[in-house]
Amino acid sequence: MLCREIIDVIEKTYPASYAMEWDNVGFLLGSPDRDVKKIYVALDAVDAVIEEAVKENADMLVTHHPLIFSGMRQIRADDFTGRRLIRLIKEDIACYAMHTNYDVLGMAELSEQRMGFSGGRPLMETHPEGLADKKPQGIGRVVDLETPMSLLECCKQVKERFCLEHVKVFGDLNGCIKRIAISPGAGKSMVNPAVLAQADVLITGDMDHHTGIDAVARGLSVIDGGHYGIEKIFIPHMTEFFRDRFPEIQVIAAPESHPFQIM
């Protein structure tokens, strides 16, 4: 199957028009006429992922985070991004990214379901041009619990549902949680929407010290499961997406590999 045919299927479900204006999603590298027999799915196009894609003889690499995020004036082997691009070009591996468009149309609902919830609403609504008449969509979810739980119980649920060894918590572990906001990825910018939504806790990643303690001062607890820790659900979800739609293509999921260790 041609790369362009795979892209057409992706973009019918996850249109690039749903991405944030600052993002860089879509077909980033390669030939649209590349014949694809193997797809490798990962969160990031880091060196180890690219080497595994090469080892597996993949024809296409699909990631959540874009390999090319901002403008590039040079592609050099002594630059880490340039090195990755050169390696992919050399091995004739096409590269496609689905970032904030997937956050809006996939990750938000998927993270809600992973927590065992349903019926939530967007934490931060986005209204792409020409799509305002459709069902409200946006980054993250806000969910009201049928049965309140403590912050400690919520932490345990996050660890269990996302298969995490640890989480970082800001707030009173005995505090009562009735309304949950969840926003996978870097959650610093989602504190204000969570406060405005009157959520009791925000489940997210990449929460720094000052933003965390300030959130608590505003009545919002924070559970930080890590950027990778929450967003890794992209990998099995998109692996199944491709397997369901392209049974003739071999789809390989990158193994779980957290980018840091806590000693």
Side-chain angles (χ1 to χ4, degrees):
M1 178 170 286
L2 297 182
C3 193
R4 67 169 73 251
E5 295 174 311
I6 296 170
I7 292 171
D8 285 344
V9 172
I10 295 173
E11 295 185 351
K12 284 179 181 177
T13 304
Y14 305 102
S17 55
Y18 276 87
M20 306 298 283
E21 61 180 11
W22 47 261
D23 205 0
N24 186 36
V25 303
F27 192 42
L28 303 182
L29 182 149
S31 169
D33 294 318
R34 176 77 162 96
D35 185 30
V36 177
K37 296 179 180 178
K38 284 188 181 181
I39 298 174
Y40 196 90
V41 182
L43 200 69
D44 298 278
V46 296
D47 293 311
V49 163
I50 292 172
E51 290 309 311
E52 281 300 311
V54 171
K55 181 180 177 181
E56 294 286 353
N57 294 314
D59 307 301
M60 185 176 185
L61 172 63
V62 176
T63 65
H64 181 46
H65 298 127
L67 174 56
I68 305 172
F69 203 86
S70 55
M72 296 182 66
R73 296 190 176 187
Q74 299 173 320
I75 299 178
R76 297 170 44 145
D78 56 355
D79 167 76
F80 70 94
T81 302
R83 177 178 69 240
R84 293 166 181 172
L85 291 169
I86 291 170
R87 181 69 166 144
L88 289 170
I89 292 170
K90 180 180 178 181
E91 299 296 337
D92 196 16
I93 299 176
C95 187
Y96 188 93
M98 39 197 307
H99 190 209
T100 52
N101 54 327
Y102 180 84
D103 286 340
V104 170
L105 296 172
M107 190 76 80
E109 184 176 8
L110 183 63
S111 60
E112 174 188 9
Q113 293 172 349
R114 180 61 70 97
M115 283 293 293
F117 305 141
S118 61
R121 63 185 188 277
L123 174 57
M124 185 179 74
E125 286 190 14
T126 56
H127 298 282
E129 184 178 353
L131 299 171
D133 59 330
K134 296 190 177 182
K135 177 184 175 182
Q137 297 284 2
I139 303 293
R141 281 288 190 273
V142 177
V143 182
D144 290 315
L145 302 183
E146 293 183 4
T147 304
M149 66 175 70
S150 69
L151 180 59
L152 177 60
E153 290 172 323
C154 190
C155 289
K156 291 179 178 178
Q157 187 164 328
V158 171
K159 290 173 64 177
E160 176 188 350
R161 297 302 177 94
F162 290 93
C163 301
L164 302 172
E165 292 185 4
H166 59 266
V167 293
K168 182 167 67 174
V169 191
F170 295 88
D172 179 4
L173 292 177
N174 295 315
C176 182
I177 303 299
K178 298 179 181 178
R179 178 172 292 173
I180 289 178
I182 183 167
S183 181
K188 183 175 180 177
S189 64
M190 301 307 292
V191 168
N192 283 339
V195 170
L196 290 173
Q198 298 182 314
D200 300 305
V201 65
L202 170 63
I203 301 167
T204 189
D206 290 352
M207 188 59 56
D208 66 84
H209 171 78
H210 291 289
T211 305
I213 62 175
D214 289 350
V216 173
R218 300 172 69 186
L220 177 71
S221 297
V222 177
I223 299 175
D224 183 342
H227 197 131
Y228 180 92
I230 305 294
E231 286 197 331
K232 65 184 181 181
I233 57 178
F234 167 86
I235 300 172
H237 185 245
M238 286 309 301
T239 297
E240 289 306 310
F241 176 91
F242 290 128
R243 286 175 178 168
D244 288 344
R245 288 158 179 80
F246 309 117
E248 72 277 21
I249 295 177
Q250 183 178 353
V251 186
I252 304 165
E256 184 171 328
S257 179
H258 290 261
F260 63 88
Q261 301 176 62
I262 294 179
M263 305 300 290

